[in-house]
Amino acid sequence: MSEKTYPYTAWVLLPSFKPKLETFVCHASYGHEEVQTGKWYLPDAIYETKAKAIAAGREKIKTQLADLEKRREKLNKKIASLDKAERE
């Protein structure tokens, strides 16, 4: 987003990944922005449109799935090591 005048509305993703329209009331220190309820968001967690918020959420899910797959591979190697040790 370019220069902002407060208040303005934008979209954020809740921890449940549900997009929510928020009204931002001020810019705070360390780059955070405050909404009417007193919550703070970093600029990279604020989206101009609902579609952009949803797309960002999908990208986060892809990253999380990739991380889970890496963990699964490591666990499978550990299981294989235990199975091999059990057969010896």
Side-chain angles (χ1 to χ4, degrees), residues 7-75:
Y8 74 95
T9 56
W11 291 88
V12 296
L13 281 177
L14 298 177
S16 65
F17 279 67
K18 180 179 178 183
K20 181 178 180 184
L21 187 62
E22 290 278 13
T23 301
F24 290 84
V25 294
C26 71
H27 179 78
S29 59
Y30 305 110
H32 294 83
E33 296 197 36
E34 184 178 359
V35 295
Q36 286 177 329
T37 60
K39 284 190 171 186
W40 301 83
Y41 292 95
L42 289 170
D44 62 349
I46 302 170
Y47 307 98
E48 294 175 355
T49 64
K50 185 177 182 180
K52 287 182 181 181
I54 291 170
R58 292 190 188 280
E59 286 302 314
K60 288 179 184 181
I61 288 173
K62 284 181 186 178
T63 302
Q64 290 175 359
L65 285 172
D67 292 344
L68 283 173
E69 188 58 36
K70 287 179 186 177
R71 286 187 194 172
R72 180 172 290 148
E73 288 174 14
K74 288 179 183 179
L75 286 172

